[in-house]
Amino acid sequence: MSKVTFKITLTSDPRLPYKVLSVPESTPFTAVLKFAAEEFKVPSATSAIITNGKVKGRNSPSSVAGNVFLKHGSELRIIPRDRVGGQGDCISLSMA
Amino acid sequence: VLADSESAVILRLRGPLDLKCQLDCIDEVPMQKAISRTFEALRLQVKSESCVLAVCNSPVLIWPNKSVFEEITPDAPFEDIFQFIQTRTPGPASAPILTRTVQKSHLLCATLPMDCAVWSSWSDTIKDGCERLMKALTRQLFEMEKVTLQCMKGTTLRVPEPLHFLLPEPNGLVTVVFPRGEPDKELEAQRRELHGQFELPDNRPFFRRANAYHFPNEPYKDGYLRNPHTVLTHPTLDNGKVYLVQGIYSYHHYMQDRMDDNGWGCAYRSLQTICSWFQQQGYVERGVPSHKEIQQALVEVGDKQASFVGSRQWIGSIEVQAVLNHLLGVTSKIMFVSQGSELASKGRELANHFMTEGTPVMIGGGVLAHTILGVAWSETTGEIRYLILDPHYTGAEDLQVITEKGWCGWKGPDFWDQTAYYNLCLPQRPRVI
């Protein structure tokens, strides 16, 4: 079975540590995210993987490592997801 | 109908013309000939002395082919017409006239929605303006005939409908006749031809129905504000330039649509603003999604469990990107910034985004979501300002309040939480016409 290799960088750490992962190409990409998050000790539920490339969409759960590698290459970044909602209409610093 | 801008005036001529054509048989060639004859008759009618133009909301009447001008002199500049225009309550409608013809035949009956518009200037005389409108009217009848015949399928005809498009200089305001009701995707060949004719780039739409020019005197019926940022004075930085969103968006914010999302819906609202941009630039036909539809989309892509629908859970830029992809087929770039202070150094990237994509940007971080509509940036000094549309506003669609209180306004780098991390969702414009 063929394997694909990714270099995944943790962007939330200013030292930009990275891990190199080799996975079978049929591995569901969500598993890659989970594994990478565990390695970096960040919660996978609040993380996302993006590429260094120009255009990137969030992978649908049905995509596999092999396809991701072909489409986006091997350089990936793991980022913390933002979750925002606000606290009403009195938050912004410049409001009167 | 007159619309004004600083030095230019748009003259618009509208009115229904009846197309009535008796057909002795419904074979294609005789039908086409009969239709052409009817159009020729209409063209003669508008050139006849019985043709009258009425200026809306005024007592001014003009017989362009007889050179009779009531209430006004032909050599007067167009500015003079304004003194006559006042809003009036409409009078009683005139009674319809019925005729009965006893004859066996096929009757083709349609109303042609004539709609011509020409640029003019305030100093042009009324006589010249009318002449240009009448020429445009005749030209439009020729185009309508062409489109009617081209789109004939057996015995079905499509009513030709004029649409106006404001193209980049030097083209200006252009009128195109399309068959009414034909969806955009069936008209791609016509659009490609138009792009070639007007030397327009072939990677962005200019002639989809949603791109039709919105005349200043026609208020939007949905009640949302469009492009509130245009009334602002943009900052001038040393050697700085302003890079703005291109096109039209609607301002979506807390509490609209009878939806109380105060305290949790800001990312949803920013996403709605972005969706409104894609709809109004003609990239998608679907309307702006509701909170529920957004949540449903996230369940469908597997990002959230089914219980998410109907909840008040927060979302962020990754969800925004996922929904744009799933509902609109739009891909986005995600920019991660490890702390807010770093946003001050993103001037070049943001400037490039507004220049090439021109789409509104959603930014999430420090528990708040905002929409970035533009950036003022100096390449030499590095000074930067951000044009922000704030979805946390809970008030009414009052342009004055929104701009004076800064709900749509220019902010400095200190606007961001300097230590929080941020994700930006930069939607990419599909390369289609």
Side-chain angles (χ1 to χ4, degrees):
Chain A
M1 171 153 39
S2 287
K3 285 192 157 192
V4 288
T5 306
F6 295 110
K7 174 189 170 190
I8 306 185
T9 306
L10 181 69
T11 47
S12 53
D13 185 331
R15 294 162 299 175
L16 297 181
Y18 65 87
K19 298 223 182 273
V20 176
L21 299 178
S22 241
V23 298
E25 59 180 17
S26 57
T27 312
F29 199 69
T30 42
V32 177
L33 166 61
K34 252 192 159 165
F35 185 66
E38 269 163 35
E39 289 283 298
F40 283 119
K41 300 192 184 10
V42 293
S44 64
T46 53
S47 299
I49 287 195
I50 60 174
T51 66
N52 284 334
K54 277 203 155 162
V55 178
K56 167 64 181 76
R58 171 170 160 72
N59 290 313
S60 69
S62 56
S63 61
V64 296
N67 288 344
V68 174
F69 180 80
L70 283 173
K71 196 169 172 198
H72 299 288
S74 61
E75 302 252 344
L76 304 177
R77 294 186 294 163
I78 186 166
I79 61 168
R81 291 171 69 146
D82 57 293
R83 286 272 161 78
V84 290
Q87 289 148 30
D89 64 345
C90 46
I91 209 63
S92 198
L93 297 172
S94 40
M95 298 315 150
Chain B
V1 172
L2 302 176
D4 60 358
S5 69
E6 271 167 13
S7 54
V9 168
I10 303 173
L11 305 177
R12 193 174 178 195
L13 176 64
R14 282 201 290 184
L17 279 182
D18 285 330
L19 180 75
K20 278 201 184 77
C21 182
Q22 258 180 313
L23 305 162
D24 296 322
C25 72
I26 51 172
D27 291 331
E28 197 175 318
V29 175
M31 241 181 107
Q32 286 177 342
K33 288 209 172 107
I35 290 170
S36 287
R37 274 199 304 271
T38 315
F39 268 101
E40 184 57 31
L42 275 175
R43 285 193 287 271
L44 287 172
Q45 265 185 35
V46 301
K47 288 200 180 118
S48 77
E49 295 196 336
S50 54
C51 175
V52 179
L53 306 179
V55 176
C56 290
N57 298 323
S58 82
V60 179
L61 291 173
I62 298 172
W63 281 257
N65 303 315
K66 232 167 40 166
S67 282
V68 172
F69 299 81
E70 196 161 288
E71 303 283 347
I72 203 132
T73 47
D75 296 317
F78 253 101
E79 297 178 275
D80 287 6
I81 284 208
F82 256 81
Q83 58 186 279
F84 290 103
I85 296 180
Q86 54 204 211
T87 42
R88 274 185 322 189
T89 47
S94 39
I97 301 167
L98 299 169
T99 35
R100 184 168 175 259
T101 319
V102 182
Q103 189 183 333
K104 262 211 163 116
S105 63
H106 300 277
L107 181 66
L108 170 64
C109 206
T111 308
L112 297 173
M114 310 309 297
D115 190 346
C116 306
V118 298
W119 277 122
S120 192
S121 80
W122 282 120
S123 48
D124 270 356
T125 64
I126 294 170
K127 185 153 165 279
D128 284 339
C130 287
E131 264 176 39
R132 289 167 58 207
L133 278 175
M134 296 311 291
K135 279 207 181 99
L137 189 62
T138 310
R139 246 195 338 262
Q140 194 163 95
L141 281 168
F142 269 113
E143 281 193 44
M144 285 185 161
E145 180 186 340
K146 189 170 128 198
V147 169
T148 307
L149 294 174
Q150 260 173 8
C151 299
M152 231 168 79
K153 286 189 179 111
T155 52
T156 340
L157 284 162
R158 288 239 194 237
V159 174
E161 180 181 47
L163 288 174
H164 307 286
F165 299 95
L166 188 58
L167 302 179
E169 291 302 315
N171 292 304
L173 196 62
V174 149
T175 309
V176 178
V177 176
F178 281 127
R180 176 179 283 170
E182 192 89 353
D184 276 336
K185 60 181 190 287
E186 305 294 327
L187 294 168
E188 193 181 325
Q190 282 91 325
R191 288 202 298 278
R192 209 163 278 285
E193 205 189 303
L194 287 164
H195 275 242
Q197 186 187 338
F198 290 102
E199 292 179 1
L200 295 168
D202 63 353
N203 62 4
R204 61 205 283 169
F206 286 95
F207 294 105
R208 296 199 180 195
R209 285 173 196 285
N211 299 125
Y213 179 61
H214 201 89
F215 288 90
N217 63 340
E218 288 174 334
Y220 286 97
K221 296 196 184 87
D222 59 17
Y224 298 110
L225 286 180
R226 297 316 197 261
N227 290 25
H229 71 275
T230 49
V231 306
L232 300 172
T233 319
H234 302 314
T236 38
L237 309 175
D238 274 339
N239 279 320
K241 265 184 83 179
V242 170
Y243 306 84
L244 293 175
V245 62
Q246 298 172 35
I248 303 177
Y249 62 88
S250 316
Y251 181 20
H252 291 265
H253 58 80
Y254 278 169
M255 308 302 279
Q256 280 176 339
D257 321 313
R258 305 214 165 114
M259 177 59 149
D260 183 350
D261 59 335
N262 192 349
W264 61 272
C266 59
Y268 294 80
R269 296 294 184 183
S270 179
L271 171 54
Q272 286 177 336
T273 296
I274 294 174
C275 291
S276 79
W277 186 93
F278 280 96
Q279 183 196 16
Q280 292 180 83
Q281 262 51 248
Y283 289 103
V284 298
E285 278 170 21
R286 72 154 294 146
V288 170
S290 63
H291 289 57
K292 249 210 170 111
E293 285 169 330
I294 291 169
Q295 291 173 332
Q296 190 58 46
L298 288 167
V299 172
E300 278 166 25
V301 299
D303 190 52
K304 299 280 183 277
Q305 310 277 35
S307 55
F308 178 66
V309 181
S311 74
R312 304 173 132 211
Q313 277 186 56
W314 293 8
I315 59 174
S317 40
I318 302 298
E319 286 90 338
V320 167
Q321 182 213 59
V323 174
L324 285 175
N325 191 33
H326 185 64
L327 291 183
L328 272 57
V330 166
T331 47
S332 316
K333 193 167 132 186
I334 296 285
M335 189 199 288
F336 168 76
V337 166
S338 58
Q339 39 193 24
S341 51
E342 269 178 49
L343 277 165
S345 62
K346 296 296 179 188
R348 187 182 300 277
E349 279 187 76
L350 287 170
N352 275 337
H353 170 83
F354 287 111
M355 277 200 300
T356 50
E357 308 300 327
T359 56
V361 170
M362 178 266 172
I363 176 169
V367 308
L368 300 176
H370 289 96
T371 311
I372 305 181
L373 299 173
V375 70
W377 175 63
S378 165
E379 207 170 334
T380 47
T381 67
E383 247 195 297
I384 188 168
R385 299 279 183 283
Y386 311 87
L387 180 55
I388 303 293
L389 187 68
D390 198 332
H392 303 92
Y393 174 62
T394 54
E397 314 313 319
D398 185 327
L399 182 61
Q400 195 172 358
V401 168
I402 286 164
T403 47
E404 279 176 13
K405 298 286 189 199
W407 296 103
C408 175
W410 287 95
K411 315 287 180 193
D414 55 339
F415 179 71
W416 312 110
D417 181 333
Q418 303 293 294
T419 56
Y421 68 83
Y422 282 89
N423 282 323
L424 290 83
C425 175
L426 289 77
Q428 306 293 295
R429 194 195 261 276
R431 264 43 182 183
V432 294
I433 60 164

